[in-house]
Amino acid sequence: GDHRDHHLSIRRQRQMCIRDRSYTDGNRKAMELIYSAIDGNISLAISSYTLYKVWGTDSFDRRSEIGYSGLLKFLKVINVDSEIAKIAGHIARLLKETQVSEFNDFFDEHAIAGSIVKGRECVAVTDSEVLIDEPEVRFVSLDSVELY
């Protein structure tokens, strides 16, 4: 009864901003997140930059486009405006000081995800552990996401 309803309402209120491309790789946890958003249990957002990256993937074909276009109805798309871009630049510098990566995409995508969650009641879900000392910016690895 009551206890379960309370948890359901908390679950519905939880928001996640996701920049993860694991969904394209068929990652089970990423798919669970998407299904939760479709069911209306959580809110998911994706940046316009991540859309650009997904649409530009080598393996992206007409079938992928149809599938992703359908999914977009259940995701909030956040455009990268000048404010987000400035915060992302700041976060990218912090990431470069603390994270080891040979890919600049890592810094770009994570910085944009971080700038989107800053000041919002949500977390950035990523495919890898990200440690950053920035107020109001929280990264959560996909593997550690608990939906229930």
Side-chain angles (χ1 to χ4, degrees), residues 15-145:
Q15 292 201 324
M16 298 180 185
C17 296
I18 189 166
R19 60 133 287 278
D20 200 86
R21 278 190 305 201
S22 297
Y23 184 77
T24 55
D25 305 331
N27 180 297
R28 186 186 58 78
K29 203 73 176 237
M31 292 171 112
E32 281 177 21
L33 271 181
I34 299 287
Y35 296 147
S36 263
I38 290 169
D39 292 342
N41 294 330
I42 61 170
S43 301
L44 284 181
I46 189 169
S47 77
S48 53
Y49 178 76
T50 300
L51 281 182
Y52 156 72
K53 297 297 288 181
V54 169
W55 252 252
T57 306
D58 290 342
S59 60
F60 199 82
D61 56 13
R62 183 73 183 130
R63 191 167 157 237
S64 305
E65 185 174 350
I66 292 166
Y68 270 95
S69 295
L71 282 177
L72 286 178
K73 290 185 288 212
F74 302 98
L75 305 176
K76 177 180 167 95
V77 177
I78 298 178
N79 291 316
V80 179
D81 61 16
S82 59
E83 282 309 303
I84 287 175
K86 288 189 279 187
I87 295 166
H90 169 71
I91 291 173
R93 282 195 314 276
L94 290 176
L95 286 171
K96 285 174 185 171
E97 290 168 10
T98 60
Q99 304 291 312
V100 180
S101 177
E102 64 271 32
F103 303 111
N104 274 334
D105 275 3
F106 172 92
F107 299 116
D108 293 342
E109 291 188 41
H110 286 72
I112 289 170
S115 65
I116 286 171
V117 302
K118 189 172 173 73
R120 293 191 169 137
E121 293 288 313
C122 62
V123 296
V125 181
T126 64
D127 51 6
S128 52
E129 230 22 87
V130 179
L131 304 168
I132 184 171
D133 185 22
E134 178 69 6
E136 301 180 322
V137 177
R138 207 167 120 236
F139 289 94
V140 175
S141 76
L142 187 60
D143 294 335
S144 68
V145 170

